[in-house]
Amino acid sequence: MKKSTDILKQFWGYDSFREKQEDIINSVLEGKDTLALLPTGGGKSICFQVPGLLLEGICIVVSPLIALMHDQVSGLKRKGIKAVAITSGMSKRQIDIALDNAIYGDTKFLYVSPERLKSRLFLARFEKMKVNLIAVDEAHCISQWGYDFRPSYIDIAELKNIKPNVPFMALTATATPKVVKDIQEKLKFKKETVFQKSFERDNVSYITLQTNNKLNRIIEFSKKLKGSGIIYCSTRKSTKILCKYLIESGISANFYHGGLDQEQRKIKQDAWISNETKIMVATNAFGMGIDKPDVRFVLHYDVPETLEAYFQEAGRCGRDLEKARAILFFEPKDLHDLKEKVELKFPAIDTIKSIYNALGSHFQLAIGSGKDESYELNISEFSNKYNFHLITVYNSLKFLELGGFIMLNENSYQPSKLKVIVNNYELYQHQVRSKELNTVIQFLLRSHMGVFEEYVSINETIISTKLKISQQTLIKHLNYLNSNEVIDYSPKYKGSRIIYLTERLADSNFSVDPKFYKERKEDAFIKLDSVLGFLDNGECRNKYILTYFGEQNATNCGQCNVCLDIDDESLSTSNYKAIKLAIDSRLENNDHFLIEDFIINHSNYSRQNIISTLRWMSEHDLVYIDKSGKTVTIGIK
């Protein structure tokens, strides 16, 4: 029988596991419900993929992130592992075939959203599946005290009633002690089993910089900092604007956000991963499932709303364990805007109710209908149609999602897909009837392997170009074959989508629990206060983060901006100023000097004070000290 290390070597090429991975895998192999708490980049997916391959049967992976599902499914397929994801953009036939393959085929991993688990179709097929493990990714979503609570996660535990002997694995990168306990209770763990890797990242220095012009400071740092990096912004508009300024300043940069289609995302990701692009300016849509260990810095143009979000984003630098920096820039105005943003996330209950009713009217949905149905929604057009403010609509939809009424898939992208649903003989009958149809069918069979067995993604632009016909003509042929039930064809879709998790409720039956509303709002402001404390409480930044996540014995890191300022107290003010002035004067006459020469020529100051001053100036990018630690050159001023 194969061992977990054999699977690791065969599919990933590694000889040994990272810290905690093997313990987590062994726990699951022993049939135990297991919570894996590993920081971003800690290798969570391997923890369920290895036992999923080792054990007989199929592994169900529950994830709320469609983009991450697609990334992991693609990665497994490249390794020759059969995997499929069921997402909201799929037709009923596509879902049906995927579930059949999970029962009767050789599918090893089935990725589903938590909302999908409640459908009658899924539950009926789930009973027939030989399941070896249920992996719950982003498990903090199950706790109302987690930073991204999703009510649909609570229903995951119901799968235990159907298959009580199948172990659960919960995985998350960010959870406070309160959330860790809540996850295990909500998933009905038979016994508490937690494997937690410290959140300590001793190669990453956390720096928060208040400035009156963060744009200029970011441009300065982007020129100075070596290697590749990410700059996080809170809006799509900001990513484009900041990227434009960087490029105009001679910095290699690109932008990324959730509104891009898959082809654009791939081109931008590949250029950044291969270091053709130095900096990716992005929303938080960037980073999940992207494996680039040598990211030297993560900068924040906007302040995240929670420490969990900040830690996850900052954690994408320095995964190779080499020195890296996480620098958060903020202006005084940002703190006011952040408080206002959190306040706006909670529209009045009556407003939420009005928008819920308008949504039903917009879709012409009868009372008592719509459960599990999916509808396209242009939020801007909807807001104008019913005279609501766009931000109010968006935040009301997010709260309706929080309350378990709907699911909002923002700017979901589904490529065109098709599958041949007749046998070879029936397909041939259509080929001989039309020369044009024959040309299209022949091309699809030659260029898309497996089109009889599963749905394949197609690109109408590429196909029409190669066949030397118009795209309109190609789509006409595909629609003809679809209407005659020769193929099942789903054109590509890009836009927001609403899925009703309950039937549409009458006005008299719809209500938002005031207690739930109050608790969610209070919790949002508690998390905001933690972020504000991180920015200006005068405590070591690293220690503050570790304490927040329950590591009570954390010590000062000695490398964040707070610790460096504490170190400055060991210098007398007059000595520091005099030494800095002497350094600046030396650099005015020459753009570099040797540290030992400077110490010899300034023997009126102690060696320790000179080294401490140089260190402080280096950490604040006033000078640059080369890797040998011998030469000083001009830094950012």
Side-chain angles (χ1 to χ4, degrees):
M1 181 180 173
K2 282 189 175 181
K3 298 177 182 177
S4 55
T5 47
D6 297 331
I7 296 290
L8 184 71
K9 182 68 175 177
Q10 180 183 349
F11 292 103
W12 284 271
Y14 302 134
D15 293 313
S16 60
F17 289 100
R18 294 185 194 174
E19 182 186 350
K20 300 290 183 184
Q21 284 181 330
E22 193 163 18
D23 293 333
I24 293 164
I25 290 166
N26 288 338
S27 176
V28 170
L29 293 177
E30 291 167 11
K32 297 176 184 175
D33 294 326
T34 305
L35 171 57
L37 188 59
L38 299 175
T40 301
K44 291 186 291 296
S45 58
I46 278 180
C47 292
F48 64 80
Q49 288 171 350
V50 168
L53 288 167
L54 201 55
L55 297 169
E56 187 183 350
I58 187 170
C59 173
I60 308 290
V61 186
V62 185
S63 172
L65 303 167
I66 292 175
L68 188 57
M69 283 193 212
H70 285 313
D71 285 345
Q72 292 201 3
V73 167
S74 297
L76 289 167
K77 284 182 174 179
R78 284 195 296 272
K79 290 178 170 61
I81 300 166
K82 191 88 169 184
V84 67
I86 295 178
T87 59
S88 57
M90 294 169 66
S91 67
K92 189 174 184 300
R93 189 193 292 269
Q94 287 173 300
I95 294 169
D96 219 29
I97 290 169
L99 291 173
D100 269 353
N101 286 339
I103 300 170
Y104 306 111
D106 55 352
T107 301
K108 284 300 291 179
F109 293 92
L110 175 64
Y111 284 76
V112 293
S113 68
E115 292 79 15
R116 181 69 55 189
L117 303 179
K118 295 193 291 185
S119 71
R120 282 191 226 108
L121 177 62
F122 177 85
L123 290 172
R125 303 298 181 83
F126 177 73
E127 279 192 73
K128 299 176 181 177
M129 293 179 200
K130 184 174 180 58
V131 180
N132 59 35
L133 174 64
I134 297 169
V136 183
D137 204 4
E138 306 296 329
H140 56 268
C141 294
I142 202 170
S143 172
Q144 67 169 316
W145 312 117
Y147 78 101
D148 193 18
F149 171 58
R150 294 177 181 238
S152 53
Y153 260 70
I154 293 171
D155 297 316
I156 296 172
E158 297 304 312
L159 298 179
K160 269 194 183 319
N161 297 333
I162 302 172
K163 295 190 182 292
N165 297 321
V166 174
F168 271 50
M169 178 187 286
L171 307 105
T172 182
T174 47
T176 60
K178 187 176 183 180
V179 172
V180 167
K181 186 170 180 60
D182 205 25
I183 289 170
Q184 294 175 90
E185 288 176 357
K186 293 290 194 303
L187 287 176
K188 299 179 182 176
F189 274 29
K190 294 170 185 173
K191 183 181 177 182
E192 287 194 7
T193 307
V194 182
F195 292 92
Q196 180 171 352
K197 186 178 177 182
S198 171
F199 287 101
E200 179 79 57
R201 297 288 305 280
D202 55 16
N203 65 308
V204 177
S205 55
Y206 298 100
I207 298 170
T208 59
L209 293 179
Q210 182 170 334
T211 173
N212 291 322
N213 192 327
K214 62 184 180 183
L215 176 60
N216 284 351
R217 291 295 279 160
I218 279 183
I219 290 171
E220 288 176 353
F221 271 79
S222 298
K223 286 179 178 177
K224 166 73 176 179
L225 294 169
K226 307 298 181 184
S228 67
I230 308 170
I231 303 176
Y232 279 109
C233 301
S234 62
T235 67
R236 295 172 183 178
K237 185 178 179 181
S238 294
T239 66
K240 294 180 183 178
I241 293 171
L242 182 53
C243 180
K244 178 174 174 285
Y245 278 119
L246 291 171
I247 292 170
E248 288 174 352
S249 300
I251 300 162
S252 170
N254 210 326
F255 69 90
Y256 184 106
H257 56 67
L260 302 171
D261 63 38
Q262 278 188 325
E263 191 172 345
Q264 288 175 304
R265 291 186 193 194
K266 188 174 188 312
I267 291 168
K268 289 171 183 278
Q269 283 177 11
D270 289 349
W272 180 74
I273 288 170
S274 64
N275 294 321
E276 289 176 40
T277 303
K278 176 180 178 179
I279 294 174
M280 187 68 82
V281 188
T283 62
N284 60 7
F286 184 73
M288 288 286 186
I290 296 172
D291 185 20
K292 183 171 172 60
D294 61 340
V295 180
R296 296 275 61 84
F297 58 92
V298 168
L299 311 183
H300 275 83
Y301 180 75
D302 293 305
V303 183
E305 293 174 32
T306 68
L307 270 183
E308 288 93 336
Y310 171 74
F311 183 74
Q312 192 168 60
E313 290 160 15
R316 292 184 178 124
C317 69
R319 293 186 184 181
D320 56 2
L321 304 182
E322 296 295 324
K323 185 77 175 172
R325 288 184 180 185
I327 309 174
L328 192 160
F329 298 84
F330 67 99
E331 298 171 6
K333 180 179 177 292
D334 290 339
L335 306 185
H336 172 268
D337 291 346
L338 192 59
K339 291 174 186 175
E340 190 176 72
K341 185 179 178 182
V342 174
E343 185 68 47
L344 287 171
K345 288 182 76 172
F346 296 88
I349 290 177
D350 286 345
T351 302
I352 295 171
K353 188 173 185 178
S354 296
I355 288 171
Y356 176 81
N357 288 331
L359 204 62
S361 300
H362 182 68
F363 296 134
Q364 299 182 341
L365 196 58
I367 303 296
S369 66
K371 187 176 186 297
D372 297 327
E373 295 293 329
S374 173
Y375 300 91
E376 297 175 13
L377 179 70
N378 184 311
I379 297 176
S380 180
E381 288 179 5
F382 172 80
S383 302
N384 292 334
K385 179 179 177 180
Y386 292 96
N387 201 26
F388 290 119
H389 193 285
L390 180 65
I391 293 174
T392 303
V393 169
Y394 176 78
N395 286 322
S396 295
L397 293 175
K398 294 300 287 184
F399 196 87
L400 288 168
E401 182 175 45
L402 196 63
F405 299 101
I406 64 167
M407 182 171 73
L408 172 64
N409 280 346
E410 301 172 60
N411 294 285
S412 58
Y413 175 75
Q414 183 74 31
S416 297
K417 290 195 171 186
L418 67 77
K419 180 182 183 298
V420 176
I421 55 176
V422 296
N423 58 36
N424 274 308
Y425 175 76
E426 291 174 287
L427 184 63
Y428 177 72
Q429 297 304 310
H430 286 275
Q431 287 179 255
V432 296
R433 286 177 199 160
S434 164
K435 185 179 179 181
E436 288 184 334
L437 279 179
N438 179 54
T439 302
V440 171
I441 293 169
Q442 287 284 6
F443 181 86
L444 290 172
L445 294 178
R446 283 197 313 271
S447 60
H448 295 79
M449 299 292 290
V451 73
F452 279 96
E453 289 79 34
E454 61 183 2
Y455 285 85
V456 296
S457 298
I458 65 165
N459 186 314
E460 290 90 340
T461 304
I462 292 173
I463 294 172
S464 59
T465 301
K466 294 204 172 183
L467 293 179
K468 297 180 180 178
I469 60 175
S470 70
Q471 195 166 325
Q472 187 178 6
T473 301
L474 172 66
I475 291 171
K476 177 185 172 185
H477 291 324
L478 293 174
N479 283 329
Y480 171 81
L481 292 169
N482 186 70
S483 62
N484 282 274
E485 297 189 341
V486 178
I487 63 172
D488 185 28
Y489 167 61
S490 303
K492 67 181 176 183
Y493 168 78
K494 180 183 176 184
S496 296
R497 191 181 287 272
I498 294 286
I499 301 161
Y500 275 80
L501 303 181
T502 67
E503 68 277 3
R504 183 191 173 186
L505 300 171
D507 189 59
S508 56
N509 292 331
F510 176 84
S511 65
V512 173
D513 182 356
K515 183 184 176 188
F516 176 76
Y517 180 92
K518 182 171 179 285
E519 285 177 347
R520 297 311 305 157
K521 189 169 182 176
E522 286 175 352
D523 189 57
F525 276 98
I526 288 169
K527 291 186 183 301
L528 175 61
D529 286 341
S530 295
V531 172
L532 299 179
F534 174 69
L535 295 179
D536 65 1
N537 78 332
E539 185 178 346
C540 166
R541 302 298 182 225
N542 184 58
K543 182 179 179 181
Y544 188 95
I545 289 173
L546 295 178
T547 303
Y548 180 80
F549 287 114
E551 298 186 30
Q552 301 302 323
N553 298 321
T555 56
N556 290 355
C557 69
Q559 60 182 348
C560 70
N561 55 308
V562 174
C563 286
L564 289 170
D565 286 342
I566 290 170
D567 286 347
D568 293 341
E569 293 172 6
S570 64
L571 291 168
S572 72
T573 304
S574 59
N575 270 356
Y576 163 70
K577 287 181 178 176
I579 294 169
K580 182 179 181 299
L581 188 64
I583 292 168
D584 288 339
S585 176
R586 181 70 177 267
L587 289 171
E588 279 180 15
N589 299 321
N590 198 338
D591 65 357
H592 70 278
F593 63 80
L594 292 172
I595 293 174
E596 286 304 322
D597 284 352
F598 185 88
I599 291 171
I600 291 167
N601 293 325
H602 295 81
S603 56
N604 52 321
Y605 304 114
S606 74
R607 180 188 186 89
Q608 181 182 350
N609 279 0
I610 291 172
I611 294 296
S612 295
T613 303
L614 283 168
R615 179 187 173 202
W616 188 93
M617 292 179 74
S618 172
E619 292 292 347
H620 288 72
D621 293 289
L622 299 173
V623 298
Y624 174 70
I625 300 173
D626 72 359
K627 288 183 179 179
S628 70
K630 294 178 180 179
T631 304
V632 175
T633 56
I634 297 171
I636 295 172
K637 292 187 176 179

